[in-house]
Structures are given as structure tokens and as C-alpha cells.
Amino acid sequence: MATKTATDTRERILEAAAALLAAEGRDGLSTRAVSAAAGVQPPALYRLFGDKDGLLDAVAAYGFDEYLTSKRALGSTGDAVEDLRRGWDLHIEFGLSRPEFYVLMYGDARPGRTSPAAREAEAMLRSIVERVAEAGRLRVSVERAARLVHATGMGVVLSLIATPEEDRDAELSQTARETVLARILTGTEEQAGSELPERAIALRAGLEGTTALTEAERVLMAEWLDRIANA
Amino acid sequence: MATKTATDTRERILEAAAALLAAEGRDGLSTRAVSAAAGVQPPALYRLFGDKDGLLDAVAAYGFDEYLTSKRALGSTGDAVEDLRRGWDLHIEFGLSRPEFYVLMYGDARPGRTSPAAREAEAMLRSIVERVAEAGRLRVSVERAARLVHATGMGVVLSLIATPEEDRDAELSQTARETVLARILTGTEEQAGSELPERAIALRAGLEGTTALTEAERVLMAEWLDRIANA
DNA sequence: TGAATCAACGTATCACCGATACCGAACGAG
DNA sequence: CTCGTTCGGTATCGGTGATACGTTGATTCA
């Protein structure tokens, strides 16, 4: 009972660091300040997080997860498109209500590097977009849609954060959201066939017109589509 | 002649700092490294720039201006909309070719604060958007249009910078650009959109579950479906 | 021309930072 | 009980942003 495990001190450090970040901003997050606030010696940080960057990554992920669970936002409405909207709004809310954490996640962009928390957010986004694709509502590839949504959303948040609160455009987020959705979503509400064979049949029907495939590829694909349709 | 004026040493410091930033990244920009590279004593930096943040701001603005003049990009084509497109592309080019400078301009977002270089870029954008409005091509207010373009463009650049070079979507910038332009400009006919990509995407989303194809066939088909989806 | 004044310069240093070497204690294995 | 190993704490290293202060050099005025 109440044994001081390693995960305990890890949690305590992250908690103290998060409080420090919210209170004094990013510059307040020195290894000494964090270790003092957590009642731990400085070397402990390096044993647990390896590096100061490791600590910052962990703090960002901690703040992000904490926000998500506080919102109990993992639920699904059943409508994938509606879930995508809610995911967008939740993302913007998080960025504006905890700007220091958000900048920690996305602001320190070094070429080719992504923070674990950002990767986590991206994975969530991708899974929603995939469900939109399964519902037949997507007009571009999952990959492109996810990237477009992600880039735009991040730009909106960082741009709003950089704008003094009284000068912000309150509708910028919604405008951007609907602009992007209009680009990646199909207009029709009708389902494109929930079962795989139906989708294969629908694609097979229009395959002749495409220029994206060579003749040989088209022939082979038609064969495969038939296999799926008849499975 | 050849007297060492204050602006001379200022220029020399910025030049050395810019070279240092490009060579060693942001962490290489210590006051000592900069002053040593410029052949100046550390206190000189504080006399000229007041602060380390002041130095960073000046370096960002220096790199931005240098890029602009190197591109001689201030010319106008006469068509305001075309100028807006060129401005977008130039912005993205700058961010990708000098990521360290770009992150210096936009990445260190602290709540309510904007770097002078970013303000300069915003002013340029706004003047172009105003010309678009004068040409009667704008569908939303200058204010909102400029903010939407700015936020989206910044998001695209930061997102691309954070993505390893080989994983980047080469068309993300154009897609985002045309998406935003379609929203803020008049007279842009929305593309009809063939139904074929949608069907390909719907099928792609459920492809994992099929047993009608072998693993190898599925991989190849996924590739072709992506081609159709992004056509 | 010469001296007085003041701003710019360079030395030296401060407090603090990220990171780590090293030692001693606690604990488990034999 | 003893030995070895692992882990936490002390002390410290090199480096950083920032600045106080004595000195020098140029400018200005008599």
C-alpha cells in the first residue's frame, strides 16, 4: 500500500511540470524548477525521461491526454462526419484553452520531427477520417484528407493563439472547418453501400472511364473487383 | 569612407547569425556563438537588439527579407488573384527552403505575441487581398479572407516541415490553396467531381477485411485505388 | 589647438541552466 | 552473513543569457 513506485514519481513530476507550465509559461519549465516542485532531485528527471526534450514531450502528451479525458470526448455519435466536426472543435478548444501545451505539441517544429502527443492526435484524426471513408462520404484519399484537416486545424489554432484575444475572429475556426470539409466530403448524404462487394461493384461499373490506370492495370483490377464482388 | 557605422555591425551580426542558424539550427544561436562569429563582444548584441528575443526577431526578419529580395518577388502580374496565388506559393517555398527561419517566425507562438517578420508577411498578404477585393473578386471580408489564407498557409508549411521529407504530400499546398481560394473568391465554379474517386476511397477503406485477395494483391490494389482517389 | 565630456566598448562576472560523474545506501542472491 | 548490483542523492562541469563597471575613443566647446 502507498508504496512509492516509479510510475508514481513519474506522474508526480508530470503533474508538477504541467502546473508550472500553465502558471509560468514555457520558460518556467527548467529542470531545476520542475524537480523542486515535484520534490525530486534533478537527476531523477534524466533517469525517467532521458532528456529535457523527453520531459517536454511527456508533459505535452500529459496535458493533451488530461484534456481529452476531462472532456470524455472519445464517444462516437454514430455519424462519422459529425464525429469529424466534433473532433475539429475539440482540437481547437484544447489549443485555445491550453495554449502553452499546444505550442509544446506543435510549435517547436524541427524539420522532420513530430512530438508524440502530436502523433497521437494525428492517429485519432486518421481513425475518424477512415470511418468517414467507410461511410462513403470522402472525396479524396484518407491520407490527403487527414493531412489537409490536420494542417488547417493546426494553422487556425496557432494563428489564433498569436492573435491578441480581443482581435480574434470568433468564426475563423468554423469557416476553416467547413471550407475544408466541403473540399473533402461528398455532397450526397446517401450511403455508398455499406458492404464491401457493393463498393467493388460500384467502382467496377465506372472503371472504364479512368485515366489513372494503364490498360493492363485496369484489366487486372477489374478481375480482382469481380472476385471481391462475388466473395 | 568605410567607416564602421552602427548599421554596419548590425548587418554583420545578422549575417553571421543567419549563417549560424542555417548551419547549426536554432540551438546553435547562442549569444556567445553569434558574437564570436560576428567578431563582436556579447554585450554588443544587447546594445543593438536589447534582448535575445530581439535578436531572434531581427534574424527572422533578416532571413525573410533576404529571401524576398532574392526572389525579386514584389512584382505584380496585374491580376490580383494570380498575385495571391504567387504570394501563397512564395510563402510555402520560403518555409520549406528555410525551415529554421520559418519556425523562428511562426513556431515560437506565445499567446498574443507575433514576430515582426510575421507581421510583415501578414501586411503583404493583406495588401494583396485588398487588391483582390478592389477587383470585385472577394466573397468575404478582407479581414476574414486574409486570416483564413494566413492560418491555412502557415498550417501547411509547419505541417510539411514536421513531416519527414520523403513522406510529404507534394500536392498538399496546392490543394489547400485552391480550397481556400474557392471559399473566398467569387466566380469559382466548384468542380463537378467524378464519383469514381469516392467509390475507390470507400472500397479502399474496407479493403483490409477482404479474404478474396491475397496479401500481395491487396497491397497492389490499395496502391491503384489511391491513384484513382487522388486523380 | 587643446581639454572636457560623453557615448561606445570590452572585461569580468553573476545567477542559472542542462547534464553527468561519482559515491553511498538499500536490497536481493548465494 | 556476505557479496554484488542497482538506485537515489550530492556535487560539479561546461555553457548560457544578461549586466555592472572601468576604459577608451571620438566629438565638442573654449
Side-chain angles (χ1 to χ4, degrees):
Chain A
M1 51 233 303
T3 66
K4 195 176 77 176
T5 73
T7 64
D8 263 349
T9 67
R10 198 188 138 94
E11 194 77 9
R12 197 152 41 93
I13 289 172
L14 287 178
E15 206 169 326
L20 217 55
L21 177 61
E24 303 186 25
R26 183 188 171 152
D27 292 340
L29 271 193
S30 71
T31 57
R32 281 166 167 78
V34 170
S35 58
V40 172
Q41 274 66 25
L45 303 184
Y46 294 89
R47 286 186 203 105
L48 284 168
F49 303 99
D51 203 340
K52 167 140 200 206
D53 284 338
L55 172 64
L56 295 186
D57 284 347
V59 172
Y62 177 82
F64 184 60
D65 290 343
E66 194 189 40
Y67 186 81
L68 287 189
T69 63
S70 84
K71 288 289 179 179
R72 289 179 184 76
L74 303 169
S76 163
T77 61
D79 178 0
V81 171
E82 188 53 29
D83 286 349
L84 183 53
R85 275 203 179 81
R86 298 210 312 176
W88 173 287
D89 289 342
L90 187 74
H91 186 95
I92 269 74
E93 265 181 48
F94 168 65
L96 293 185
S97 69
R98 291 175 142 83
E100 303 88 2
F101 288 91
Y102 196 86
V103 171
L104 220 53
M105 281 177 66
Y106 291 109
D108 282 349
R110 275 187 251 188
R113 124 142 196 121
T114 312
S115 83
R119 273 199 294 275
E120 188 182 338
E122 266 180 271
M124 293 176 52
L125 169 62
R126 166 143 336 182
S127 87
I128 296 178
V129 171
E130 264 164 12
R131 283 180 40 232
V132 173
E134 286 167 16
R137 298 287 316 273
L138 212 57
R139 204 164 101 187
V140 299
S141 72
V142 170
E143 195 68 21
R144 172 156 303 161
R147 284 178 155 153
L148 192 61
V149 171
H150 170 251
T152 308
M154 175 179 63
V156 165
V157 173
L158 288 179
S159 147
L160 285 176
I161 288 178
T163 306
E165 211 155 336
E166 65 271 20
D167 294 342
R168 290 178 188 166
D169 182 342
E171 294 176 47
L172 179 63
S173 169
Q174 295 169 40
T175 305
R177 186 190 67 198
E178 294 309 316
T179 301
V180 169
L181 290 192
R183 174 68 178 82
I184 67 172
L185 295 183
T186 63
T188 63
E189 287 282 347
E190 59 181 292
Q191 297 273 36
S194 53
E195 293 306 319
L196 207 59
E198 302 172 26
R199 301 180 199 171
I201 291 165
L203 178 61
R204 171 84 164 87
L207 199 60
E208 303 297 324
T210 185
T211 58
L213 299 182
T214 70
E215 174 69 18
E217 286 168 349
R218 209 167 59 208
V219 170
L220 189 52
M221 177 171 256
E223 205 175 303
W224 291 349
L225 289 175
D226 285 341
R227 287 234 301 272
I228 297 176
N230 295 328
Chain B
M1 43 255 324
T3 67
K4 195 174 78 173
T5 72
T7 65
D8 264 349
T9 67
R10 198 189 138 93
E11 194 79 7
R12 196 152 42 92
I13 290 172
L14 288 178
E15 206 169 325
L20 218 55
L21 177 62
E24 304 185 25
R26 192 202 161 140
D27 292 339
L29 270 194
S30 71
T31 57
R32 279 165 170 78
V34 170
S35 57
V40 172
Q41 274 66 27
L45 302 184
Y46 294 88
R47 283 190 268 273
L48 284 168
F49 304 99
D51 203 339
K52 166 140 201 207
D53 284 337
L55 173 63
L56 294 186
D57 284 347
V59 172
Y62 177 82
F64 183 60
D65 290 345
E66 193 189 42
Y67 187 81
L68 287 188
T69 63
S70 85
K71 289 289 179 179
R72 288 177 186 79
L74 302 169
S76 162
T77 62
D79 179 359
V81 171
E82 188 54 28
D83 286 349
L84 182 54
R85 276 202 179 81
R86 300 212 309 176
W88 173 288
D89 289 342
L90 187 74
H91 186 94
I92 269 75
E93 264 181 49
F94 168 66
L96 293 185
S97 69
R98 290 175 142 81
E100 303 88 1
F101 288 91
Y102 196 86
V103 172
L104 221 53
M105 280 176 66
Y106 291 109
D108 282 349
R110 275 186 249 191
R113 120 140 198 127
T114 312
S115 83
R119 273 200 293 274
E120 189 182 339
E122 266 181 273
M124 293 176 53
L125 169 61
R126 167 144 334 183
S127 88
I128 296 179
V129 172
E130 266 163 9
R131 286 180 37 233
V132 174
E134 285 166 16
R137 297 289 313 274
L138 211 57
R139 203 163 99 187
V140 298
S141 73
V142 170
E143 195 68 21
R144 171 156 299 163
R147 284 178 154 153
L148 191 61
V149 171
H150 171 252
T152 308
M154 175 180 65
V156 166
V157 173
L158 288 179
S159 149
L160 285 175
I161 288 178
T163 306
E165 210 156 336
E166 64 270 19
D167 294 341
R168 291 178 188 167
D169 182 342
E171 294 176 47
L172 178 63
S173 169
Q174 296 169 41
T175 304
R177 186 191 66 197
E178 294 310 314
T179 301
V180 170
L181 290 193
R183 175 67 178 84
I184 67 173
L185 295 183
T186 62
T188 54
E189 82 277 21
E190 50 184 286
Q191 49 193 20
S194 154
E195 298 173 6
L196 207 59
E198 308 165 12
R199 299 178 192 169
I201 290 157
L203 178 62
R204 170 85 161 86
L207 200 61
E208 303 295 323
T210 184
T211 58
L213 300 183
T214 69
E215 172 72 18
E217 286 168 349
R218 210 167 58 207
V219 170
L220 189 52
M221 177 170 249
E223 206 174 302
W224 291 350
L225 288 175
D226 282 339
R227 285 235 300 271
I228 296 176
N230 290 328

